[in-house]
Amino acid sequence: MQEGLPAHNELLPHLFRQEYAKMTAVLCRHFGLKHIEIAEDIASETFLKASEHWAINGIPNNPTAWLYTVAKNKTKDYFKHIAVFETQIKQALKSGEIDSEQGFEFSHQHLADSQLAMIFAVCNPTNSTESQICLALQILCGFSVEEITNAFLTKTETIKKRLHRARTNLRNDDFQIKALSETEIKLRLDTVLKTLYLLFNEGYFSKTNNQVIRKELCSEAVRLALFLTENPLTDTPQTNALLALMCFQSSRLEARTNDKGETILFDKQDKTLWDKSLIEKGNYYFVNACSGNELSKYHLEAGIAYWHTTSTDENKWQHILELYNQLILMEYSPVTAMNRTFAFAKVHGCEKAIPEAEKLNLTESNYYHELLGYLYADNDIDKAIDHYEQAIKLTKSKTEKQTLTKEIERLNKKKSNG
């Protein structure tokens, strides 16, 4: 047993998030997508065995290697279970759909190759774009239904139906993880990039598990985007722009929360905590992204993130506002509209930004009320407090409620002293 490791009930959830999707991807490559449930069952049983074994015997010296060894052994055992083999798998095996256990491995390169192959296989035009992304987030990224619902800002039942239809279509169409043609890769790349974008955002602006930031999701999105830049067929300006955006955003992760997990607003962040090496990497990929004439939403968002990391230019908020103006015309979203209003306030002042915010009328959004609370804070404390209180009622995050409550306390103190 390795000393210094957290208790198994703390370590396992972390490993589950980090390794379950990778394990499933390799197993699906082995079994074929038609039998995805088999792959998911083996991966789930592996973690169940870990929870039981580690509770009694302690955490092994190399927990990750232990998990993959168990998964590999369970896969071999699966083929030895004659009843299941004869009744469900034999015909598929004869037809070459499922590989034999020869060459089955969990090497780093095999994990990387399998995940990329998996995401491109799932992002197939047989399903709608939304369904492709939902399924990729669930299978490849290990997202729960709740997390996917948050990413799409839609209802839980809608997501469940999309996932069910998408899985049914994959089974009926007999999909397998295989090498794709250049044309197929190009046709699916936009959906793959959108999936990685949503994966990163769920980490950077998390709405689940009472966490404001989930760094492991951000790291996973960066890792997969980096793989795409290393392949000539997927090393496109859009891919580089997305990776640049992720690097710029990731550079500020350590400064975005305090030791209690509460959000620190951009203006109050300790800039010495920003990761300069990630900013430099962001600059590198941003230059690569601008090598042609292509302009995507990722280019504009990367540009906005770039200016956020630049503290020397006096006109940086003007640059940011101009980029938001372009972005909102290219792809409108409520979040973009609210972020644009914040930038507008930085350029023209909070008082002028209030009408811009109020005409958005996003009264069911806690972020909308947080924005108005911020804008009213210096002009009308009572209104600011009212909006912060509405934001508290609308948010599900315990950490966010604590942050907003502190802001209300600050304003009340300011009011009583004034």
Side-chain angles (χ1 to χ4, degrees), residues 158-357:
T158 302
I159 297 301
K160 286 181 178 177
K161 287 175 183 176
R162 282 182 191 171
L163 288 168
H164 178 72
R165 283 196 299 267
R167 283 173 175 264
T168 302
N169 288 341
L170 285 183
R171 280 194 296 269
N172 293 344
D173 243 43
D174 201 17
F175 274 134
Q176 296 179 45
I177 299 179
K178 58 186 178 181
L180 299 174
S181 68
E182 183 174 346
T183 302
E184 286 174 314
I185 287 174
K186 287 181 178 178
L187 284 172
R188 300 181 190 189
L189 183 58
D190 282 351
T191 306
V192 172
L193 294 179
K194 181 69 178 290
T195 301
L196 298 186
Y197 175 80
L198 290 174
L199 171 60
F200 184 87
N201 279 355
E202 173 56 27
Y204 200 75
F205 305 105
S206 182
K207 298 178 184 177
T208 53
N209 299 333
N210 287 318
Q211 291 176 275
V212 177
I213 295 172
R214 298 166 68 184
K215 294 175 186 175
E216 77 278 9
L217 297 190
C218 295
S219 298
E220 186 68 4
V222 170
R223 189 179 68 82
L224 292 170
L226 185 60
F227 286 147
L228 293 178
T229 64
E230 293 170 352
N231 187 313
L233 294 178
T234 52
D235 185 24
T236 66
Q238 270 203 83
T239 303
N240 279 272
L242 177 58
L243 184 52
L245 167 62
M246 292 177 179
C247 289
F248 287 137
Q249 297 283 58
S250 296
S251 71
R252 295 189 287 114
L253 281 174
E254 295 299 326
R256 286 189 64 228
T257 55
N258 60 22
D259 54 3
K260 296 179 182 178
E262 298 166 342
T263 304
I264 300 174
L265 294 176
F266 177 81
D267 291 345
K268 297 178 181 177
Q269 288 176 12
D270 181 357
K271 294 178 177 57
T272 62
L273 296 177
W274 292 1
D275 190 326
K276 291 182 175 58
S277 65
L278 278 172
I279 294 173
E280 288 171 4
K281 287 177 182 177
N283 289 332
Y284 171 79
Y285 290 112
F286 199 27
V287 169
N288 289 350
C290 297
S291 58
N293 297 320
E294 186 176 351
L295 180 67
S296 67
K297 65 169 282 185
Y298 304 124
H299 284 82
L300 295 174
E301 290 198 33
I304 290 166
Y306 162 77
W307 283 112
H308 274 87
T309 62
T310 306
S311 56
T312 54
D313 195 307
E314 294 179 2
N315 299 315
K316 81 172 190 174
W317 283 105
Q318 183 64 52
H319 296 308
I320 290 171
L321 179 58
E322 288 169 3
L323 288 167
Y324 269 124
N325 288 339
Q326 293 181 63
L327 181 60
I328 210 163
L329 290 173
M330 181 179 287
E331 185 177 300
Y332 177 86
S333 77
V335 173
T336 301
M338 287 187 281
N339 286 338
R340 179 202 165 271
T341 305
F342 181 82
F344 184 94
K346 287 293 184 181
V347 176
H348 300 292
C350 289
E351 196 169 349
K352 289 184 179 179
I354 289 171
E356 291 284 316

